[in-house]
């Protein structure tokens, strides 16, 4: 049976020592972000996940969701009761605005708890995760009346939320959507159409579900410029917030899918359902991207969360399983075989997982801090800096983070050998669950194209130039520290590969856009390596300073320095090979005609 222990100490290290949340208590929303408060949230949140959500992960996967003849859906046994506990404890309110019933804590703290939930039970965590994304869109683009009417009950967990984009004939290319919105004349619309792949589309855990739906009004342009966004509640909501009639929006079926069986991924049928426009007509895509960007950060956290729980189980199995002898001679002569830990190839997989999960944790929590600083930093310059950085790195957190989360899950399955392929051990579920994170909220190929096609050139390249400047300055400073100098040199080299790849795109992308497309995924991975390298440099500096001061648990900080060294020596050199892939151009990639791919 798998196990899970929330990585509270490591999260405390990042939030309190690396990010220094306590030093920001002068900013709005950070007043209560003391180390004591943060530690209490992490400890209690971790306990809730470990004791309530994690025990339902494997059983929820085996049972799945059930659709009934009336279109209603029942979640796996124990999910509703667990959600009741989640709601009553207020876990969904952590980072939500106080004016709508939230606690108003920094997003970094909310992201930390979100990681624990993704590790403990990814399918369950998606229900409140989708609600949070819907809240973001309504707060950004909804009217004051809409905010007051829907958001408080969504924040409390009384009501859920979804996002409805994809249709049977279109996914990323939303200009092709056919769902219609006919104006009624009283400010409402009749929404008709079919949406697919709708996570949390119908379930029994909340009293109401607030669907956010993309549709086109009758005279809208037949392109992405003609999309509007609508609130479509499962049950109509009166002025007194009392629930009324059932809206004609139903679950037509539950998708049969590879993983996340505990989440109801639905085909949703809208049969003249009553909807209310959010924001301006034909400006729905901009509103939905607010929700998408929040969701993309959340999906990056899914990659981290599944990678972390898979890693923990890989470590435990390697400690327990005896197989063969160490290459240097038997280590445990009282036993017939040594544990898997003596084998360098097993160590390789475990060290790679450890360095990536801890690096991704730092990057995701740092990203949560930037989300807050975008709105709450003291000066306009600081707010702009935070916005530039998180805009640049959102596709990296999502794309690189989920690619690596999946790699970690498969490697930890490999540690188990044949047992990793057997369901009862739990590892194959992590592989199946991790796979979707690379696909939804924009496939990782789309993330890569967003990075190189939009984010690099945005505002004259201001964000990427800022990113390079930060790395250059911190590497230069680190070279004066004996414990950090070698790491800084590795990071400088990796950053140099990223700079060279960026320049190559500038020189070769305009004349042949396929050069950019063919190299986009490799570029996203170089930036992921460099971004994690920056996080590891910062973590290594804190660890080195703590050791010099003789404070805390020396073994914890020494382990950080060794893990940073592993990342520098074994992960960062990959940047050079990725750059050479980019500079190969697109000729061979695009040379064959489609029929030449077919077997003769």
């Amino acid at each position: 049976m798998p196990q899970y222990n929330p990585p509270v100490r490591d999260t405390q290290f990042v939030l309190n020592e690396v990010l220094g949340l306590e030093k920001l208590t002068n900013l709005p929303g950070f007043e209560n972000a003391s180390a004591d408060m943060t530690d209490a949230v992490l400890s209690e949140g971790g306990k809730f996940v470990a004791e309530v959500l994690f025990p339902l992960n494997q059983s929820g996967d085996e049972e799945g969701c059930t659709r009934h003849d009336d279109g209603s859906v029942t979640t796996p046994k124990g999910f509703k009761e667990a959600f009741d506990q989640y709601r009553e404890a207020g876990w969904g309110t952590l980072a939500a605005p106080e004016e709508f019933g939230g606690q108003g804590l920094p997003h970094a703290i909310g992201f930390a708890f979100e990681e624990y939930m993704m590790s403990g039970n990814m399918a369950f965590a998606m229900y409140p995760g989708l609600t949070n994304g819907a809240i973001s869109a309504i707060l950004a683009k909804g009217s004051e009346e809409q905010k007051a009417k829907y958001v408080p009950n969504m924040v409390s967990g009384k009501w859920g939320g979804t996002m409805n984009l994809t249709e049977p004939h279109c996914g990323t290319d939303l200009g092709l959507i056919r769902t219609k919105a006919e104006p009624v004349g009283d400010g409402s619309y009749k929404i008709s159409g079919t949406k697919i792949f709708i996570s949390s589309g119908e379930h029994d855990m909340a009293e109401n579900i607030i669907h956010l739906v993309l549709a086109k009004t009758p005279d809208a342009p037949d392109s992405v410029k003609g999309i509007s966004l609508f609130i479509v509640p499962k049950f109509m909501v009166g002025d007194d917030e009392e629930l009324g009639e059932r809206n004609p929006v139903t679950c037509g079926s539950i998708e049969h899918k590879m993983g996340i069986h505990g989440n109801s991924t639905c085909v949703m049928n809208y049969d003249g359902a009553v909807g209310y426009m959010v924001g301006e007509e034909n400006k729905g895509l901009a509103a939905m991207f607010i929700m998408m960007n929040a969701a993309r950060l959340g999906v990056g956290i899914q990659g981290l969360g599944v990678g972390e729980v898979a890693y923990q189980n890989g470590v435990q199995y390697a400690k327990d399983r005896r197989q063969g002898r160490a290459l240097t001679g038997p280590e445990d002569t009282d036993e017939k075989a040594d544990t898997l830990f003596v084998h360098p190839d097993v160590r390789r997989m475990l060290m790679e997982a450890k360095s990536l999960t801890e690096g991704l944790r730092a990057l995701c929590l740092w990203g949560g801090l930037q989300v807050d600083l975008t709105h709450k930093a003291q000066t306009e310059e600081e707010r702009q800096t935070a916005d530039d950085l998180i805009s640049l790195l959102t596709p990296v957190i999502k794309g690189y983070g989920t690619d690596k989360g999946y790699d970690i899950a498969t490697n930890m399955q490999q540690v188990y050998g044949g047992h990793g392929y057997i369901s009862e051990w739990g590892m194959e579920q992590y592989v199946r669950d991790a796979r979707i994170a690379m696909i939804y909220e924009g496939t990782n190929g789309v993330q890569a194209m967003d990075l190189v096609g939009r984010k690099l050139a945005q505002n004259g390249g201001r964000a990427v130039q800022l990113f390079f400047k930060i790395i250059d300055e911190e590497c230069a400073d680190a070279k004066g520290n004996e414990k950090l100098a070698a790491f800084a040199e590795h990071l400088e080299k990796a950053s140099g590969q990223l700079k060279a790849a960026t320049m190559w795109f500038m020189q070769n992308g305009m004349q042949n856009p396929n050069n950019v497309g063919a190299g986009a995924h490799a570029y996203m991975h170089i930036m992921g390596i460099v971004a994690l390298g920056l996080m590891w440099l910062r973590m290594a500096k804190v660890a080195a300073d703590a050791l010099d001061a003789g404070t805390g648990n020396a073994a914890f900080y020494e382990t950080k320095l060794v893990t940073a060294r592993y990342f520098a020596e074994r992960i960062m050199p990959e940047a050079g090979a990725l750059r050479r892939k980019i500079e190969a151009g697109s000729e061979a990639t695009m040379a064959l005609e489609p029929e030449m791919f077919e077997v003769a």
Side-chain angles (χ1 to χ4, degrees):
M1 291 290 290
Q3 62 180 25
Y4 174 62
N5 296 304
V8 173
R9 176 65 185 95
D10 200 62
T11 311
Q12 291 170 331
F13 169 73
V14 176
L15 291 177
N16 299 332
E17 300 178 60
V18 179
L19 298 182
L21 290 191
E22 271 197 310
K23 299 175 183 177
L24 302 172
T25 52
N26 60 316
L27 300 180
F30 287 79
E31 302 93 341
N32 297 322
S34 65
D36 288 343
M37 169 63 82
T38 301
D39 293 350
V41 170
L42 298 178
S43 297
E44 290 303 311
K47 182 179 179 182
F48 169 78
V49 170
E51 295 181 358
V52 178
L53 300 187
F54 180 68
L56 299 173
N57 187 50
Q58 209 166 8
S59 62
D61 177 68
E62 292 169 358
E63 180 183 347
C65 296
T66 303
R67 180 189 176 276
H68 304 286
D69 290 341
D70 62 357
S72 64
V73 170
T74 302
T75 50
K77 183 179 179 181
F79 270 46
K80 188 179 189 305
E81 292 77 11
F83 191 80
D84 288 342
Q85 293 182 56
Y86 172 90
R87 181 179 62 250
E88 289 163 8
W91 289 118
T93 69
L94 288 178
E98 291 183 88
E99 59 265 41
F100 295 102
Q103 298 182 51
L105 290 171
H107 279 85
I109 296 176
F111 280 15
F113 178 67
E114 195 170 335
E115 180 208 327
Y116 296 174
M117 287 217 300
M118 294 303 176
S119 288
N121 193 325
M122 179 173 159
F124 179 96
M126 290 171 63
Y127 291 99
L130 268 295
T131 302
N132 289 336
I135 289 170
S136 298
I138 296 173
L139 289 179
K141 296 295 183 179
S143 66
E144 293 304 314
E145 179 186 2
Q146 288 171 340
K147 294 175 189 178
K149 191 170 189 176
Y150 300 106
V151 173
N153 283 325
M154 295 171 75
V155 166
S156 72
K158 189 175 181 181
W159 297 349
T162 70
M163 52 194 297
N164 284 236
L165 291 76
T166 308
E167 299 183 5
H169 58 283
C170 73
T172 301
D173 190 355
L174 291 171
L176 300 175
I177 67 170
R178 297 172 184 162
T179 300
K180 296 297 183 183
E182 296 283 347
V184 175
D186 60 357
S188 68
Y189 292 77
K190 293 289 186 182
I191 311 297
S192 299
T194 298
K195 299 288 185 177
I196 64 171
F197 306 158
I198 308 306
S199 301
S200 313
E202 170 63 20
H203 56 83
D204 59 348
M205 300 200 299
E207 292 181 7
N208 200 6
I209 301 174
I210 308 304
H211 301 286
L212 290 189
V213 184
L214 290 183
K216 291 181 177 178
T217 52
D219 298 323
D222 190 19
S223 67
V224 293
K225 295 181 179 180
I227 298 173
S228 299
L229 180 65
F230 298 87
I231 288 174
V232 185
K234 174 180 174 179
F235 289 100
M236 302 304 297
V237 181
D239 293 335
D240 55 0
E241 297 185 14
E242 290 296 315
L243 300 186
E245 295 180 358
R246 174 71 188 261
N247 215 355
V249 48
T250 56
C251 170
S253 65
I254 297 175
E255 307 282 8
H256 298 279
K257 53 193 188 293
M258 177 177 176
I260 53 170
H261 295 153
N263 191 270
S264 54
T265 308
C266 299
V267 174
M268 300 298 295
N269 296 322
Y270 291 83
D271 301 310
V274 178
Y276 305 93
M277 188 176 290
V278 179
E280 299 178 50
E281 186 173 3
N282 300 331
K283 297 293 179 67
L285 200 59
M288 186 59 83
F289 265 110
I290 293 168
M291 187 173 179
M292 287 284 286
N293 284 330
R296 285 170 176 173
L297 291 173
V299 174
I301 296 171
Q302 288 181 350
L304 163 62
V306 177
E308 170 65 27
V309 68
Y311 163 68
Q312 288 187 21
N313 284 276
V315 169
Q316 191 59 48
Y317 189 81
K319 288 171 64 178
D320 294 341
R321 178 74 167 176
R322 293 185 177 276
Q323 198 80 45
R325 290 295 193 183
L327 297 175
T328 53
E331 288 205 358
D332 192 345
T333 56
D334 293 333
E335 298 286 345
K336 292 182 178 181
D338 293 325
T339 68
L340 293 179
F341 256 99
V342 304
H343 302 300
D345 191 59
V346 173
R347 288 288 192 118
R348 170 189 64 82
M349 291 186 284
L350 294 175
M351 283 300 297
E352 187 171 297
K354 180 176 176 61
S355 65
L356 287 168
T357 52
E358 292 180 17
L360 286 169
R361 179 172 299 113
L363 183 62
C364 289
L365 297 181
W366 170 89
L369 178 59
Q370 304 316 302
V371 171
D372 281 313
L373 294 179
T374 296
H375 304 286
K376 298 176 180 179
Q378 287 185 316
T379 68
E380 175 59 32
E381 181 181 2
E382 290 172 318
R383 292 191 290 273
Q384 186 65 68
T385 292
D387 188 55
D388 284 346
L389 289 173
I390 193 58
S391 295
L392 175 72
L393 290 173
T394 289
V396 178
I397 290 172
K398 194 281 185 186
Y400 184 75
T402 58
D403 277 351
K404 290 304 165 184
Y406 181 73
D407 286 349
I408 292 165
T410 57
N411 275 339
M412 295 305 98
Q413 184 184 39
Q414 189 77 9
V415 169
Y416 275 68
H419 290 300
Y421 202 67
I422 304 301
S423 296
E424 67 186 87
W425 289 87
M427 300 308 294
E428 58 85 34
Q429 182 189 345
Y430 295 132
V431 174
R432 289 187 288 105
D433 284 354
R435 189 63 184 88
I436 185 57
M438 303 162 71
I439 297 173
Y440 57 17
E441 308 306 343
T443 66
N444 286 357
V446 170
Q447 302 305 315
M449 285 303 298
D450 178 46
L451 174 64
V452 301
R454 294 180 63 248
K455 301 299 174 62
L456 288 186
Q458 211 165 44
N459 301 309
R462 183 176 67 202
V464 73
Q465 291 171 28
L466 171 63
F467 183 60
F468 288 141
K469 181 173 181 287
I470 290 170
I471 293 168
D472 290 343
E473 290 176 350
E474 295 194 27
C475 283
D477 183 62
K479 286 183 177 179
N481 186 322
E482 182 181 349
K483 293 180 179 177
L484 304 178
F487 185 95
E489 290 177 7
H490 280 287
L491 180 54
E492 269 193 336
K493 289 179 182 178
S495 180
Q497 303 288 1
L498 183 61
K499 290 175 182 176
T502 307
M503 184 61 67
W504 192 88
F505 277 152
M506 292 175 62
Q507 295 169 343
N508 297 275
M510 292 293 289
Q511 62 188 31
N512 183 1
N514 282 335
N515 284 330
V516 177
H521 190 267
Y523 186 91
M524 179 179 72
H525 273 242
I526 303 179
M527 186 167 280
I529 290 168
V530 173
L532 260 65
L534 177 60
M535 296 300 112
W536 268 115
L537 178 60
R538 292 174 176 178
M539 289 190 286
K541 183 179 186 307
V542 171
D545 290 347
L547 287 170
D548 289 342
T551 58
N553 183 346
F556 176 86
Y557 297 114
E558 288 167 356
T559 300
K560 282 291 176 189
L561 291 179
V562 172
T563 310
R565 178 184 167 195
Y566 181 90
F567 187 86
E569 294 176 355
R570 302 284 301 210
I571 305 294
M572 282 204 273
E574 295 174 6
L578 290 166
R579 176 195 144 197
R580 288 189 286 275
K581 281 187 176 184
I582 291 168
E583 292 178 351
S586 63
E587 185 177 352
T589 302
M590 305 301 294
L592 299 182
E593 295 298 324
E595 58 269 18
M596 297 173 75
F597 284 87
E598 298 176 6
V599 177

